[in-house]
């Protein structure tokens, strides 16, 4: 499922929730400029994604929808983050990728896709928002992330690739501070660690409320991924600024 389809489905869910007397809805679409670092391998040689694969910064769309439900039902958080990098690389000597041995001194191209989609369930700390007159709110919950990964190397008429879909359960925490009616500062953290796998996703944003229900926001997002799954080993991180626009009710 692409980002347009996922955002459309999320907005439809938001509209359905609104008709069911949801307490609040927030939806945003933005762009994230991220810088890749680290290395990965598939059945063989570790490849540096910056120095050897020559991946540059990329700007990609991202979207999110938060739905606050009534009573004690969990609130919902949906997010889509496409990520794709490609480049023409070089490496001294030969290297193995999958079942193929490539000559690094001959030009080759590669692609790494790490699209991911989130469904989070969370609850606000009871009475905190009320006790602070709407200034402070803290959310705690769980997040299920689906990672659609594809890695590919092409040299001449030879292509080797690996596709993998991984489900990642994570813990979620969010904080919102709104000292002024027109400004809010927010932070989000998602993470998990088990075996040889580590996954962390940190987001900080400043939000300007332009009108009653419209806002613009800017911030910084950082992801750290360490995985060892199905012959793929990766130790990579991505970070950079983002901007978004959205509405909230």
């Amino acid at each position: 499922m692409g980002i347009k389809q996922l955002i459309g489905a999320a907005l439809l869910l938001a509209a359905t929730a609104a008709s069911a007397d949801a307490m609040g809805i927030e939806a945003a679409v933005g762009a994230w400029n991220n810088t890749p670092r680290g290395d990965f391998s598939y059945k063989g040689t570790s490849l540096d994604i910056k120095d050897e694969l020559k991946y540059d910064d990329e700007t990609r769309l991202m979207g999110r929808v938060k739905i606050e439900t009534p009573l004690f039902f969990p609130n919902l958080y949906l997010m889509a983050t496409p990520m794709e990098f490609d480049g023409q690389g070089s490496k001294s000597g030969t290297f193995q990728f999958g079942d193929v041995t490539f000559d690094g001194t001959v030009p080759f191209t590669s692609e790494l896709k790490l699209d991911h989609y989130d469904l989070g369930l969370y609850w606000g700390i009871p009475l905190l928002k009320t006790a602070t007159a709407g200034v402070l709110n803290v959310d705690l919950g769980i997040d299920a992330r689906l990672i659609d990964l594809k890695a590919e190397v092409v040299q001449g008429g030879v292509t080797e690739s690996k596709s993998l879909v991984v489900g990642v359960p994570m813990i979620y925490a969010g904080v919102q501070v709104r000292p002024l009616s027109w400004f809010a500062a927010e932070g989000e953290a998602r993470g998990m660690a088990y075996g040889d796998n580590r996954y962390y996703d940190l987001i900080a944003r400043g939000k300007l409320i332009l009108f009653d229900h419209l806002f613009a926001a800017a911030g910084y997002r950082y992801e750290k991924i360490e995985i060892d799954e199905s012959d793929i080993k990766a130790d990579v991180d991505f970070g950079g600024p983002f901007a978004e626009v959205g509405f909230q009710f």
Side-chain angles (χ1 to χ4, degrees), residues 22-248:
M23 297 295 289
I25 299 171
E26 178 178 322
V29 176
W32 178 29
N33 179 261
N34 56 77
T35 300
R37 305 179 191 84
D39 53 74
F40 77 94
S41 65
Y42 170 44
K43 288 185 179 179
T45 310
S46 181
L47 299 167
D48 188 289
I49 63 179
K50 196 74 175 178
D51 296 333
E52 295 174 336
L53 300 183
K54 311 298 184 183
Y55 293 164
D56 293 324
D57 297 5
E58 294 286 350
T59 299
R60 300 288 178 182
L61 288 176
M62 62 180 186
R64 62 185 181 88
V65 175
K66 294 178 70 175
I67 303 171
E68 296 183 2
T69 59
L71 300 177
F72 298 103
F73 294 103
N75 303 306
L76 303 178
Y77 196 148
L78 300 98
M79 185 163 60
T81 310
M83 296 175 64
E84 186 173 338
F85 303 90
D86 58 64
Q88 179 170 301
S90 64
K91 185 175 177 65
S92 60
T94 61
F95 67 93
Q96 183 178 349
F97 186 81
D99 297 322
V100 179
T101 298
F102 293 91
D103 184 352
T105 62
V106 176
F108 65 91
T109 60
S110 69
E111 176 184 316
L112 176 63
K113 183 180 78 169
L114 278 168
D115 296 347
H116 42 277
Y117 308 97
D118 292 81
L119 171 59
L121 304 177
Y122 67 94
W123 292 261
I125 293 180
L127 303 180
L128 178 60
K129 193 172 184 179
T130 301
T132 60
V135 173
L136 177 64
N137 183 62
V138 175
D139 299 318
L140 300 172
I142 56 175
D143 185 277
R145 173 165 291 180
L146 187 68
I147 302 174
D148 182 7
L149 182 152
K150 180 181 179 181
E152 180 179 84
V153 174
V154 179
Q155 187 176 64
V158 179
T159 299
E160 179 69 310
S161 65
K162 173 67 174 182
S163 297
L164 180 67
V165 176
V166 182
V168 182
M170 295 188 289
I171 296 174
Y172 167 79
V175 59
Q176 304 91 40
V177 181
R178 189 171 179 177
L180 302 169
S181 61
W182 52 269
F183 176 76
E186 301 179 350
E188 301 176 16
R190 296 168 176 83
M192 70 87 189
Y194 67 91
D196 293 326
N197 299 295
R198 305 283 188 276
Y199 206 133
Y200 306 105
D201 189 344
L202 307 174
I203 299 173
R205 73 168 60 84
K207 182 189 297 182
L208 294 177
I209 292 79
L210 304 176
F211 303 102
D212 287 344
H213 303 298
L214 298 176
F215 66 85
Y220 192 90
R221 183 172 181 178
Y222 173 80
E223 292 192 26
K224 173 70 172 179
I225 305 172
E226 296 181 33
I227 59 172
D228 186 354
E229 295 280 349
S230 302
D231 297 319
I232 286 184
K233 293 183 179 180
D235 184 355
V236 295
D237 61 81
F238 309 90
F242 69 87
E244 61 184 12
V245 293
F247 66 85
Q248 56 189 14

